[in-house]
């Protein structure tokens, strides 16, 4: 018998060409969705300090970014509005001339059907208290009163031209309320990407700067406890029963196990959101020379795909296309 190994897996790692041939997980531009922030009244892009390279767009620069996303073959853009004024009930979210609905119309007019225009369906950017819903007299988020607003918001976004709406507030029954409203208004073709398993995460911190959040406190009474996994499957099942077309796990990196469990459990597309804090950690470490930035970006996205995500919302979407070439 020979003294050396008869099985040599390293043969399949011997060159870049060989590694490409046998790669089990791939990333394609169509699988990437670019989140974008559009600021009302902005005359030039505003840098987000905790997210180097990410900006609050003007309407004009947003149009250019949408055009680039379409040219790159991205799967879509997810739009967030940053209004100049807020109130207790987030009325700007329902205004046809509010910044998010205007940005949706701009994006659709720029890209047409060449790119999916997706819109965040939540009130946190529009409320002066920063919560994802309206509050009751005791200052608690009123689930059912919020559903009525979400239903109107979904119709407003579909009327503006959104191909996909993303209910993200983690209200019980939100998908059903939005689906019923969309269908009743004649928008049966509008897709719902449900933020089904959204955790009360520390990794959302930079996002709050990005949308000028007014939040004091936390969202632990409605977003999921990071210690719970079975609950994510329950949330996914409820959203699918209510009419969700796609489901999402958010954040991604600390929840790769949840992505895998959801992927194995459902037969609909699964998205994962590579959130602001995950982006910021890589950018900060790279800026200090501690890691290879470009390799870290691709390794991060590959890990999320390998865990089972069909699509990834990531602030690196446009850059990743260039890195993959």
């Amino acid at each position: 018998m020979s003294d050396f190994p008869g099985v040599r897996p390293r043969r399949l790692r011997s060159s870049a060409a060989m590694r490409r041939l046998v790669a089990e997980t791939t990333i394609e531009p169509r699988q990437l969705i670019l989140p974008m922030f559009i600021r009302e009244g902005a005359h030039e892009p505003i840098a987000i300090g905790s997210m180097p390279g990410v900006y609050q767009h003007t309407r004009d620069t947003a149009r250019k970014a949408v055009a680039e996303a379409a040219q790159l073959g991205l799967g879509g853009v997810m739009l967030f509005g940053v209004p100049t004024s807020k109130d207790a009930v987030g009325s700007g979210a329902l205004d046809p001339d509010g910044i998010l609905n205007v940005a949706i119309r701009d994006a659709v007019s720029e890209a047409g059907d060449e790119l999916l225009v997706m819109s965040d369906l939540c009130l946190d950017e529009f409320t002066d208290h920063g919560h994802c819903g309206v509050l009751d007299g005791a200052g608690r988020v009123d689930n059912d009163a919020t559903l009525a607003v979400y239903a109107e918001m979904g119709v407003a976004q579909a009327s503006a031209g959104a191909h996909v709406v993303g209910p993200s507030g983690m209200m019980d029954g939100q998908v059903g309320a939005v689906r019923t409203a969309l269908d009743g208004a004649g928008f049966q073709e509008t897709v719902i990407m449900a933020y089904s398993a959204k955790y009360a995460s520390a990794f959302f911190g930079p996002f709050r700067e990005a949308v000028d959040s007014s939040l004091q406190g936390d969202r632990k009474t409605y977003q999921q406890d990071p210690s719970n996994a079975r609950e994510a499957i329950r949330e996914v099942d409820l959203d699918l029963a209510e009419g969700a077309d796609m489901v999402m796990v958010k954040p991604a990196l600390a929840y790769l196990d949840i992505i895998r469990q959801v992927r194995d459990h459902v037969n609909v597309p699964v998205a994962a959101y590579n959130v602001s804090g995950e982006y910021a950690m890589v950018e900060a470490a790279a800026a200090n020379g501690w890691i290879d930035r470009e390799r870290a970006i691709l390794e991060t996205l590959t890990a999320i795909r390998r865990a089972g995500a069909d699509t990834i919302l990531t602030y690196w979407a446009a850059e990743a296309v260039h890195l993959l070439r």
Side-chain angles (χ1 to χ4, degrees):
M1 179 179 291
S2 172
D3 292 331
F4 60 84
V7 177
R8 293 186 179 273
R10 285 182 55 190
R11 293 191 189 106
L12 299 183
R13 307 170 199 154
S14 59
S15 68
M18 180 62 71
R19 292 191 293 272
R20 283 196 305 272
L21 176 69
V22 301
E24 299 174 20
T25 304
T26 58
I27 305 168
E28 300 176 26
R30 65 178 180 85
Q31 298 162 336
L32 304 177
I33 299 166
L34 178 66
M36 293 174 51
F37 308 101
I38 302 89
R39 186 180 184 90
E40 185 175 17
H43 299 294
E44 59 183 18
I46 299 171
I48 300 167
S50 55
M51 300 175 68
V54 180
Y55 297 84
Q56 293 177 340
H57 282 283
T58 70
R59 287 180 63 186
D60 285 341
T61 62
R63 287 190 190 97
K64 293 175 183 177
V66 167
E68 180 191 21
Q71 188 273 328
L72 290 172
L74 295 184
V77 291
M78 176 63 78
L79 305 183
F80 298 85
V82 185
T84 54
S85 62
K86 308 177 185 182
D87 58 30
V89 295
S91 58
L94 306 181
D95 183 355
D97 294 319
I99 184 58
L100 180 53
N101 294 321
V102 167
I104 293 168
R105 290 199 297 272
D106 287 346
V108 172
S109 67
E110 189 68 44
D113 292 329
E114 294 300 311
L115 179 77
L116 290 174
V117 176
M118 307 178 177
S119 53
D120 181 62
L121 201 166
C122 193
L123 291 178
D124 59 323
E125 299 104 298
F126 299 93
T127 54
D128 56 13
H129 47 73
H131 278 288
C132 297
V134 297
L135 305 182
D136 62 19
R140 299 168 298 196
V141 175
D142 186 327
N143 189 96
D144 294 0
T146 299
L147 295 185
V149 182
Y150 282 5
E152 290 186 63
M153 192 175 180
V155 172
Q157 293 180 354
S159 298
H163 303 109
V164 181
V165 297
S168 62
M170 290 298 288
M171 298 296 121
D172 294 338
Q174 63 184 14
V175 172
V178 172
R179 183 76 272 162
T180 298
L182 290 171
D183 290 354
F187 294 109
Q188 293 90 346
E189 299 302 315
T190 303
V191 169
I192 294 179
M193 176 190 283
Y195 287 56
S196 298
K198 183 178 179 181
Y199 286 84
S201 173
F203 294 107
F204 297 154
F207 177 89
R208 295 179 183 173
E209 179 189 355
V211 297
D212 289 353
S213 174
S214 304
L215 181 67
Q216 299 294 320
D218 57 52
R219 301 187 175 115
K220 293 180 180 179
T221 62
Y222 46 101
Q223 294 177 351
Q224 281 187 250
D225 185 329
S227 66
N228 291 353
R230 293 190 300 270
E231 182 183 41
I233 301 302
R234 185 185 187 196
E235 291 280 6
V236 165
D237 284 343
L238 287 168
D239 283 352
L240 291 175
E242 292 173 22
D245 301 290
M246 299 183 276
V247 296
M248 184 193 297
V249 176
K250 180 180 180 180
L253 287 182
Y255 299 88
L256 295 175
D257 60 319
I258 306 300
I259 296 171
R260 170 47 56 191
Q261 289 182 52
V262 171
R263 175 65 282 160
D264 290 344
H265 182 71
V266 304
N267 59 3
V268 300
V270 175
Y273 200 140
N274 177 209
V275 299
S276 60
E278 297 167 348
Y279 174 92
M281 288 192 302
V282 170
E283 292 292 341
N288 279 283
W290 298 335
I291 59 174
D292 181 320
R293 179 179 177 276
E294 293 185 353
R295 287 183 60 195
I297 290 171
L298 292 180
E299 191 171 338
T300 294
L301 299 178
T302 300
I304 299 168
R305 284 275 298 124
R306 190 180 66 242
D310 300 293
T311 57
I312 306 172
L313 288 82
T314 176
Y315 302 99
W316 288 307
E319 181 178 2
V321 173
H322 297 292
L323 296 180
L324 289 166
R325 288 173 174 168

